[in-house]
Amino acid sequence: MSQITFSLSRYDGPAVIGGIRFAQASLREQADQEGDGVIKSWEGTASVARSEASEVTPEWLERPGPVKVGLPEGGTGTAHITGAALIDDRLWELDLVGAGPSPMANAQR
């Protein structure tokens, strides 16, 4: 039987990740249906200028466990940081994979 994937929601805007305000986050929630089951997941990216987030350091990025992700509308979730890069020594970019419900799922609308 084939697998079907569909998008549930998307968010683009600021977010607080691990207690630090990121100017831009792009989060996507999706569901995969295979047979009788549905599996929801979410992932995304976030970026912030190095000058605006001096707390983001290699040590901060390497801490164990998930980080809390919060949206301005009040939605929260947790995610693992799966990748990070410092672009042109001025912009941090993170890759996130959600752990549990997405922040969009419980945001106030």
Side-chain angles (χ1 to χ4, degrees):
M1 182 166 270
S2 65
Q3 179 177 339
I4 300 171
T5 300
F6 50 97
S7 177
L8 297 175
S9 62
R10 181 174 179 91
Y11 171 80
D12 290 297
V16 176
I17 300 170
I20 299 170
R21 186 177 190 284
F22 279 71
Q24 180 60 38
S26 294
L27 308 176
R28 297 164 303 287
E29 182 183 37
Q30 64 188 30
D32 294 314
Q33 181 177 10
E34 189 170 328
D36 292 335
V38 174
I39 299 171
K40 293 182 181 180
S41 63
W42 66 279
E43 62 186 7
T45 59
S47 61
V48 65
R50 184 178 186 187
S51 62
E52 295 176 12
S54 60
E55 306 92 343
V56 179
T57 63
E59 293 78 22
W60 182 86
L61 294 165
E62 292 173 3
R63 63 188 180 181
V67 293
K68 183 177 178 181
V69 177
L71 305 182
E73 295 83 15
T76 60
T78 57
H80 293 278
I81 298 171
T82 59
L86 182 58
I87 310 299
D88 294 331
D89 201 35
R90 64 174 188 81
L91 182 71
W92 282 108
E93 290 189 355
L94 305 183
D95 294 321
L96 305 167
V97 172
S102 78
M104 294 85 73
N106 58 27
Q108 298 174 2
R109 299 187 196 276

